[in-house]
Amino acid sequence: MNGPALAIAAQVRAGEVSARTVAEAALARIAARGPEVNAFTAVLAERAIAAADAVDGRIAAGKDPGPLAGVPYAVKNLFDLAGIPTRAGSRIRRDAAPATHDAFLVRRMDAAGAICLGALNMDEFAYGFTTENSHDGPCRNPHDLTRIAGGSSGGSGVAVAAGLVPLSLGTDTNGSIRVPASLNGIFGMKPTYGRLSRHGSFPFVHSLDHTGPFARSVADLAAAYDALQGIDAEDDHQAPQPPEPVTPLLGAGLAGLRVARLGGWFGRMQSEAARRAVAAVAEGLGAAAEVEWAMAEASRSAAFIITASEGGALHLPTLRTRLEEYEPLIQDRLLAGALIPAAWVLQAQRVRARARDAMRALITGWDILLAPATPVPATPIGQETLTLDGVELPLRPTMGLFTQPISNIGVPVLTVPVQQAEGAMPIGVQLIGKSWTEGLLFRAAAALEAAGLCAAPVPPAFAEGAV
């Protein structure tokens, strides 16, 4: 049983296939092909079969099984799943008490009839852009197993790109949905800050953390995003914004949409693949104008300080007693972050506010701004640097070159995979909107997909039997 999420749901709802059959097929594929990409850190077969049987039971009783009836999905392993520890990609939390309740977004997916198959690999404590996890091993890009998956939601991106599940959930603090979406060639949604609940997900940076879905098509992404919306009384950081479904808007086309490209910071330091991708999307959306957000570099610098400071403060008690159990890639950054002077953090927050105001003024005349999602396609696992515009840069932070400034101001971003020449590695483009205008981003993405400009490529080695 394979196909897009909405096709699976339609067949299950119509009684053409049982949810149990779908779940068993997905579990079999994960067992057979999952180890090649190392996306899963926990497979919950018993839970999945029980949930599938419950969906089939609702259908047999004549009840509505939900819009995502029988659709397999999986979550980044910092979302709580009742009965297992929430590892957050770490060694330290493997001995934590099992979660007693599912995260709010997991409950939303389950209420829509979707079937959770397990937890997914990630950068430790979400502090990274490559998912080269020292404890669980590197997550591998299904388009080339020698290359990175992106991060920190690398497993979430890979599981969908490799056809192990049609939907997944991730988080995005500085680009952790957008980077894996770009490098794995799938669609990813980082909503407006505060749109979706974070309750039941292990935090990284309270003032920057977002949650959101991945999918292989715009319609599937919209269905997941719509299912996830809802006010969570237990999340103090969620905005009191009523749900605004985007699925009804997918066929609205481009009429009236004002789109421009971001230049300046977003026009430099990138590969030709990234330039071509932005140019193709700009042409498809009729974006002839280029505008510049003068605060982009300053916003990224502020995000670095805020991330390090909040992350370091969160982990300081554990750093004092179990430092050696943190992976080497984040030990020094967390320690340094915990020691950042308060004056620096206050100044970073002031810069952040000015950057947000500058973006609000800039985007007043536009509905969508375009920017690269990553400066380059996926690089080899273990590579430490890359050269852009003749400058050698550290690879890991540079993967967030174009996502981090946007995260800092909390506006919504939908990442689309741009069609590439056969055999080329995928790369994506960010569609950036005003706060609470996710529907416009979905409209544009659907139009690009309908025109054949944006689509999720199937990795040749994983084509057979993909969901």
Side-chain angles (χ1 to χ4, degrees):
M1 173 62 206
N2 56 51
L6 288 177
I8 292 171
Q11 289 178 296
V12 170
R13 290 170 64 89
E16 296 171 10
V17 65
S18 70
R20 174 185 268 258
T21 297
V22 174
E24 288 175 339
L27 290 167
R29 180 168 172 79
I30 292 167
R33 304 302 306 273
E36 297 173 56
V37 290
N38 194 31
F40 277 82
T41 54
V43 178
L44 305 179
E46 290 185 9
R47 171 183 171 136
I49 296 302
D53 286 344
V55 168
D56 291 333
R58 289 200 293 273
I59 293 172
K63 298 177 181 177
D64 184 357
L68 297 176
V71 176
Y73 78 101
V75 303
K76 188 174 184 176
N77 76 17
L78 52 59
F79 286 93
D80 287 349
L81 293 172
I84 65 171
T86 305
R87 290 187 190 178
S90 70
R91 173 183 170 189
I92 288 170
R93 290 191 53 80
R94 288 173 196 230
D95 57 8
T100 56
H101 298 87
D102 290 336
F104 180 82
L105 294 191
V106 173
R107 284 182 270 141
R108 293 290 299 176
M109 290 292 284
D110 289 357
I115 309 299
C116 184
L117 301 189
L120 299 163
N121 203 350
M122 59 179 285
D123 284 295
E124 182 174 57
F125 292 119
Y127 208 170
F129 283 126
T130 64
T131 312
E132 294 171 282
N133 190 291
S134 300
H135 314 300
D136 294 307
C139 200
R140 298 180 178 275
N141 195 304
H143 298 276
D144 181 342
L145 297 177
T146 69
R147 295 179 182 267
I148 62 172
S152 62
S153 308
S156 302
V158 164
V160 171
L164 303 180
V165 289
L167 300 173
S168 67
L169 303 185
T171 62
D172 190 310
T173 301
N174 287 301
S176 292
I177 287 174
R178 290 161 288 159
V179 171
S182 176
L183 300 189
N184 290 286
I186 58 175
F187 296 89
M189 184 67 209
K190 182 199 81 67
T192 306
Y193 179 82
R195 166 72 85 175
L196 298 181
S197 171
R198 303 183 313 195
H199 182 69
S201 63
F202 195 88
F204 176 26
V205 180
H206 279 293
S207 68
L208 291 172
D209 290 347
H210 302 66
T211 53
F214 293 86
R216 293 187 56 84
S217 73
V218 177
D220 282 0
L221 189 74
Y225 174 68
D226 286 348
L228 294 170
Q229 291 188 65
I231 300 298
D232 178 8
E234 296 183 273
D235 187 347
D236 294 336
H237 290 83
Q238 189 183 24
Q241 192 78 7
E244 297 177 283
V246 298
T247 297
L249 305 175
L250 297 185
L254 299 175
L257 287 184
R258 302 163 300 168
V259 187
R261 291 167 294 163
L262 274 173
W265 175 262
F266 298 93
R268 304 188 295 267
M269 305 293 279
Q270 60 196 260
S271 65
E272 277 305 309
R275 294 183 199 278
R276 287 194 302 269
V278 173
V281 170
E283 182 177 1
L285 296 179
E290 182 174 287
V291 297
E292 185 168 347
W293 178 34
M295 293 289 295
E297 185 173 7
S299 181
R300 184 176 184 237
S301 297
F304 268 120
I305 292 172
I306 294 166
T307 297
S309 175
E310 288 194 36
L314 175 70
H315 287 279
L316 185 56
T318 315
L319 288 167
R320 285 175 167 148
T321 58
R322 303 178 69 176
L323 174 64
E324 71 285 351
E325 295 179 63
Y326 284 84
E327 67 176 8
L329 292 175
I330 70 168
Q331 282 179 3
D332 292 347
R333 285 183 290 160
L334 287 174
L335 283 171
L339 299 174
I340 289 177
W344 290 20
V345 180
L346 289 172
Q347 180 64 10
Q349 293 289 6
R350 294 188 188 104
V351 169
R352 181 185 193 179
R354 292 202 297 270
R356 184 171 55 245
D357 291 345
M359 174 56 82
R360 284 174 178 165
L362 174 65
I363 205 171
T364 297
W366 306 98
D367 297 305
I368 298 172
L369 300 178
L370 307 178
T374 52
V376 295
T379 53
I381 292 170
Q383 183 173 318
E384 295 294 333
T385 64
L386 78 159
T387 301
L388 296 172
D389 292 355
V391 180
E392 187 175 37
L393 300 165
L395 184 144
R396 292 181 182 88
T398 301
M399 277 298 179
L401 198 66
F402 303 126
T403 57
Q404 201 164 12
I406 305 300
S407 297
N408 199 39
I409 58 172
V411 294
V413 186
L414 198 161
T415 300
V416 296
V418 181
Q419 288 279 32
Q420 301 293 309
E422 186 176 353
M425 292 296 291
I427 197 164
V429 169
Q430 297 183 87
L431 309 185
I432 305 161
K434 302 181 183 77
S435 293
W436 317 115
T437 63
E438 287 87 349
L440 299 184
L441 303 182
F442 275 94
R443 273 180 60 189
L448 290 167
E449 186 181 46
L453 294 172
C454 293
V458 177
F462 289 82
E464 185 178 352
V467 298

